[in-house]
């Protein structure tokens, strides 16, 4: 049971959502006494140390030369997008309520679905498209409420 649970993407996605929720709460408190960009720097250093420790413990290191140029390019772009997202997120948390900022941030779910269709050729079923629309509507309602 435990092994199959650990191999299930839903398990990890739910954990991701739980940690993302804690991120918003902890960040809102943490950003209160410091510049939002500096708070993002501190968070990034902590994440770097944590992920490096996990990669080392799991033996996930691999030779730099084994990573293709295309992979490097897209991981670089992803890192830049992540950094920009975090900087904007912390600035928004500094200015607004966590309970309103986080749902707007989660409009990323809607944008991923749209970008997946446009750029990756993914298909959304009618039910999935309705779900994406409801997520968008819900985020807007929470942010306005």
């Amino acid at each position: 049971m435990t092994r199959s649970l650990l191999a299930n993407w839903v398990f990890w996605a739910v954990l991701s959502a739980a940690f993302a929720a804690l991120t918003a709460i902890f960040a809102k408190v943490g950003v209160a006494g410091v510049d939002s960009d500096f708070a993002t720097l501190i968070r990034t250093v902590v994440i770097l140390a944590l992920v490096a420790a996990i990669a080392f413990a799991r033996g996930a290191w691999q030779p730099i030369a084994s990573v293709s140029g295309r992979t490097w390019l897209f991981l670089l772009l992803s890192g830049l997008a992540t950094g920009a997202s975090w900087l904007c997120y912390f600035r928004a948390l500094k200015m607004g309520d966590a309970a309103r900022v986080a749902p707007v941030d989660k409009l990323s779910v809607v944008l991923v679905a749209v970008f997946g269709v446009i750029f990756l050729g993914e298909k959304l079923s009618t039910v999935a498209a309705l779900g994406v629309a409801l997520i968008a509507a819900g985020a807007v309602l929470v942010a306005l409420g």
Side-chain angles (χ1 to χ4, degrees), residues 107-122:
L107 284 173
S108 62
V109 173
V110 174
L111 295 175
V112 166
V114 171
F115 293 166
V117 168
I118 294 170
F119 299 116
L120 302 176
E122 297 179 352

Side-chain angles (χ1 to χ4, degrees), residues 46-74:
V46 170
I47 291 167
L48 177 64
L50 174 66
V51 174
I54 290 170
F56 180 76
R58 291 189 60 235
W61 293 103
Q62 61 186 81
I64 299 295
S66 72
V67 180
S68 74
R70 183 176 195 271
T71 297
W72 274 109
L73 172 65
F74 281 97

Side-chain angles (χ1 to χ4, degrees), residues 69-139:
R70 183 176 195 271
T71 297
W72 274 109
L73 172 65
F74 281 97
L75 290 177
L76 173 72
L77 292 172
S78 176
L80 291 172
T82 298
S85 172
W86 288 357
L87 289 166
C88 294
Y89 183 69
F90 269 55
R91 182 135 327 136
L93 278 175
K94 182 89 172 171
M95 296 180 205
D97 296 334
R100 294 174 74 192
V101 169
V104 174
D105 176 67
K106 295 309 175 227
L107 284 173
S108 62
V109 173
V110 174
L111 295 175
V112 166
V114 171
F115 293 166
V117 168
I118 294 170
F119 299 116
L120 302 176
E122 297 179 352
K123 306 287 185 217
L124 286 180
S125 68
T126 302
V127 172
L130 177 60
V132 168
L134 289 171
I135 291 169

